[in-house]
């Protein structure tokens, strides 16, 4: 594979039935491109967590995945309410998800920590009332 | 033990078997999806009481060998449809989560 390949996905807000579709697509694309299983798992899990967050908190958003031979970048952007306290949000177990979301098995407060754990680099830009953009990189 | 062997064990019932020959290498129990996605290992039998469509996405991404729904839980229609589409095996059991895990562990 030469150069960089870009994929764009729109994440549907409030739709838990289709949540995860973009991550599953990326997983398959990366597999077809021959990336190692460990890399594929890390990318797809981190992206799934981000997708779910956008569905729960931000009424959807977008995901851009830039694939190079040596690294995979994931950029998740939404126009949701923003994250008030990023440090707190990064703590395992901290969640602001409502009860109906918890009953679906989400809202464990593991989303952002999982994203950090599975990626080599992660940066969050968030402004309350404006939205959140998360940049993640997984090195191959 | 393969997925099919577990599905044919007394007290377990196949709901949908995508790859019966797949080997079950271990197990994981949990209902919080992010937790499962972060901790379950490839090839595990994942025991849960969650039955909504998102279990299929988690399974597709974390790649356990199969989902085992405990406590007699059945997958909802959308979850079953998606499991067929994505090739995710689902087994149901009337055993509770602890008993299901004990049984699976004894067969590994």
């Amino acid at each position: 594979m030469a150069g960089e390949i870009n994929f764009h996905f729109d994440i549907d807000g409030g739709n838990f039935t289709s949540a995860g579709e973009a991550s599953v697509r990326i997983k398959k694309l990366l597999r077809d491109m021959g990336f190692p299983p460990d890399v594929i798992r890390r990318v797809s899990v981190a992206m799934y967590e981000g997708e779910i967050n956008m569905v729960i908190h931000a009424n959807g958003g977008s995901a851009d995945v830039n694939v190079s031979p040596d690294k995979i970048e994931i950029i998740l952007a939404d126009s949701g309410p923003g994250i008030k306290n990023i440090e707190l949000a990064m703590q395992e177990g901290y969640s602001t998800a409502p009860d109906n979301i918890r009953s679906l098995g989400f809202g464990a407060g593991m989303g952002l920590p999982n994203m950090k754990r599975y990626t080599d680099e992660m940066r969050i830009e968030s402004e309350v009332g404006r939205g959140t953009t998360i940049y993640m990189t997984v090195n191959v | 033990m393969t997925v099919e062997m577990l599905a044919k064990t007394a007290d377990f019932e196949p709901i949908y078997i995508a790859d019966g020959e797949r080997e079950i290498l271990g197990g994981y129990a949990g209902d919080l999806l992010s937790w499962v996605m972060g901790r379950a290992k490839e090839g595990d039998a994942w025991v849960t009481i969650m039955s909504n469509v998102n279990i299929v996405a988690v399974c597709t991404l974390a790649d356990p060998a199969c989902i085992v729904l405990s406590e007699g839980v059945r997958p909802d229609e959308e979850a079953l449809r998606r499991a067929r589409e994505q090739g995710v095996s689902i087994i149901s059991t009337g055993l509770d989560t602890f008993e299901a895990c004990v049984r699976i562990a004894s067969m590994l």
Side-chain angles (χ1 to χ4, degrees):
Chain A
M1 184 178 66
E4 191 180 275
I5 304 175
N6 313 99
F7 299 99
H8 175 84
F9 303 92
D10 291 317
I11 313 296
D12 198 3
N15 186 346
F16 284 97
T17 304
S18 64
E21 270 178 9
S23 316
V24 172
R25 288 263 317 276
I26 275 294
K27 180 175 184 172
K28 284 180 181 152
L29 287 164
L30 294 177
R31 195 192 295 152
D32 292 344
M33 287 184 213
F35 281 96
D38 172 58
V39 169
I40 297 172
R41 180 182 162 108
R42 290 167 63 207
V43 169
S44 52
V45 168
M47 189 165 155
Y48 180 73
E49 294 288 9
E51 258 192 270
I52 292 296
N53 275 351
M54 289 193 283
V55 173
I56 294 173
H57 299 287
N59 198 29
S62 67
D64 285 278
V65 182
N66 305 321
V67 181
S68 313
D70 60 335
K71 68 175 178 194
I72 295 158
E73 284 176 329
I74 309 155
I75 301 157
L76 306 166
D78 68 60
S79 308
I83 303 169
K84 273 193 198 118
N85 186 334
I86 292 176
E87 205 183 323
L88 200 54
M90 287 302 298
Q91 286 179 16
E92 288 193 6
Y94 179 81
S95 174
T96 58
D99 284 348
N100 64 323
I101 300 298
R102 288 170 197 261
S103 69
L104 290 172
F106 298 115
M110 291 294 294
L112 289 171
N114 267 355
M115 287 156 78
K116 184 162 179 65
R117 185 208 271 187
Y118 277 105
T119 55
D120 293 297
E121 276 173 58
M122 175 176 166
R123 183 162 56 89
I124 302 175
E125 285 175 7
S126 189
E127 199 179 329
V128 172
R130 298 292 292 271
T132 300
T133 303
I134 298 182
Y135 303 85
M136 295 182 285
T137 306
V138 172
N139 296 326
V140 177
Chain B
M1 169 178 59
T2 63
V3 170
E4 194 177 1
M5 284 162 72
L6 178 62
K8 286 185 171 166
T9 304
D11 299 318
F12 290 81
E13 177 196 346
I15 301 288
Y16 172 70
I17 303 299
D19 179 4
E21 296 303 304
R22 184 155 179 205
E23 194 69 22
I24 296 173
L25 305 169
Y28 191 85
D31 305 315
L32 294 172
L33 302 186
S34 289
W35 207 273
V36 174
M37 208 155 44
R39 316 266 164 153
K41 295 175 295 301
E42 229 178 286
D44 278 351
W46 169 29
V47 184
T48 182
I49 55 164
M50 281 290 162
S51 58
N52 65 63
V53 65
N54 302 295
I55 59 173
V56 178
V58 168
C59 211
T60 306
L61 298 168
D63 207 22
C66 61
I67 300 172
V68 179
L69 298 176
S70 58
E71 315 269 3
V73 168
R74 319 287 293 191
D76 65 29
E77 215 171 282
E78 183 61 22
L80 186 56
R81 190 184 68 77
R82 199 63 73 85
R84 287 200 176 101
E85 205 177 277
Q86 302 283 350
V88 168
S89 298
I90 302 181
I91 295 168
S92 179
T93 176
L95 300 174
D96 69 29
T97 296
F98 177 75
E99 290 169 333
C101 290
V102 168
R103 187 76 71 81
I104 293 165
S106 73
M107 294 170 67
L108 287 174

